[in-house]
């Protein structure tokens, strides 16, 4: 697991209350195959960043319960097992030298850490950029700029969309916040969704990611249809197949 994801996992646990015993924290992260040595190193980084303080046998979280943890910071560790299943499935759809637009989102973040073929990545997500640069299989890593949305660390706006119109992609990989029973795909932020629409207009192979908790739900901004994507990748295909989505489900 990448360092950024490990720290998010720790934050998701630590921000539940002001104080934790060290042995409880180490027991929690061991469920994700994170060693005590690695966890202590990550905790030291969080302490250096002023997020926690460590004392003998304990950790003090300096925020006030969940209020200090933004939804996006915690998102990477929520349903992490589902996201890992999806990310591994995507690898079978990649080809050498693909030029891929990767949208913002925690499942996409897991995916870029696992890429096992030489590819080029273009993204509007600063977090994707950070994770992809540490993967030696990512030969070319481009961040498209514009206006920055602080909460998600993703860029948006006309400059971002115009830049994407100049690039031809072999694949676009993007995620859904929710998908309703008719196959309508929703995002929580309209501006970020419009960036992904600009990329989708430049590609034939469109890969939509959604874990099994996302189905049969209406979201905020409807921006796409499952019938228009090439593949819908999910952790439990049997859940998606309950609905009339008109798409190849993996």
């Amino acid at each position: 697991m990448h360092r950024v994801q490990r720290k998010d996992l720790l934050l998701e646990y630590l921000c539940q209350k002001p104080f934790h015993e060290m042995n409880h924290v180490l027991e929690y992260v061991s469920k994700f195959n994170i060693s005590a040595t690695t966890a202590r190193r990550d905790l030291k980084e969080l302490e250096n960043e002023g997020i926690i303080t460590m004392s003998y046998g304990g950790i003090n979280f300096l925020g006030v319960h969940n209020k200090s943890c933004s939804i996006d910071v915690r998102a990477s560790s929520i349903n992490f097992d589902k996201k890992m299943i999806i990310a591994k499935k995507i690898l079978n759809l990649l080809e050498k030298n693909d030029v891929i637009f990767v949208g913002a989102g925690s499942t996409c973040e897991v995916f870029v850490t696992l890429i096992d073929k030489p590819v080029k990545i273009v993204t509007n997500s600063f977090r994707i950029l950070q994770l992809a640069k540490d993967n030696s299989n990512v030969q070319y890593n481009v961040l498209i700029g514009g206006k920055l949305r602080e909460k998600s660390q993703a860029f948006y706006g006309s400059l971002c969309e115009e830049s994407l119109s100049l690039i031809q992609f072999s694949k676009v990989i993007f995620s859904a916040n929710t998908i309703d029973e008719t196959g309508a795909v929703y995002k929580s932020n309209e501006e970020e969704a419009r960036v992904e629409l600009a990329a989708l207009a430049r590609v034939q192979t469109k890969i939509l990611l959604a874990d099994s908790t996302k189905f049969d739900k209406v979201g905020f901004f409807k921006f796409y249809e499952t019938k228009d994507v090439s593949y819908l990748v999910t952790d439990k295909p049997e859940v998606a197949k309950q609905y009339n989505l008109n798409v190849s489900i993996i």
Side-chain angles (χ1 to χ4, degrees), residues 3 19 27 45 47 51 53 59 61-62 72 78 89 95 111-113 116 137 158 174 185-186 203 219 222 236 242 244:
R3 176 177 56 85
F19 178 80
E27 181 181 357
E45 287 191 20
E47 185 176 42
I51 298 171
T53 59
I59 300 168
F61 181 71
L62 300 183
D72 287 90
I78 297 172
K89 287 184 177 183
E95 298 175 281
F111 157 68
V112 296
T113 67
D116 59 357
N137 286 305
S158 58
F174 66 115
V185 181
Y186 295 85
V203 73
K222 175 182 173 181
K236 293 183 178 179
Q242 296 178 51
N244 184 29

Side-chain angles (χ1 to χ4, degrees), residues 165-179:
S165 70
L166 302 174
I167 305 172
Q168 189 66 49
F169 302 105
S170 55
K171 292 178 175 69
V172 167
I173 296 175
F174 66 115
S175 59
N177 284 99
T178 56
I179 300 174

Side-chain angles (χ1 to χ4, degrees), residues 208 226 229-233 241 245-250:
L208 174 62
T226 54
V229 305
S230 309
Y231 304 99
L232 170 59
V233 185
K241 288 175 181 177
L245 302 181
N246 296 312
V247 63
S248 177
I249 299 171
I250 298 175

Side-chain angles (χ1 to χ4, degrees), residues 109-157:
E109 291 171 13
V110 177
F111 157 68
V112 296
T113 67
L114 300 180
I115 291 172
D116 59 357
K117 299 179 181 70
V119 299
K120 298 178 177 67
I121 295 293
V122 179
T123 185
N124 65 317
S125 166
F126 186 68
R127 288 176 61 84
I128 295 288
L129 177 81
Q130 287 181 302
L131 293 164
K133 72 180 177 61
D134 292 330
N135 186 332
S136 60
N137 286 305
V138 179
Q139 298 179 322
Y140 200 65
N141 192 14
V142 177
L143 178 67
I144 300 295
K147 299 176 183 177
L148 178 65
R149 184 174 176 239
E150 290 286 347
K151 185 176 180 181
S152 63
Q153 290 292 289
F155 290 92
Y156 67 93

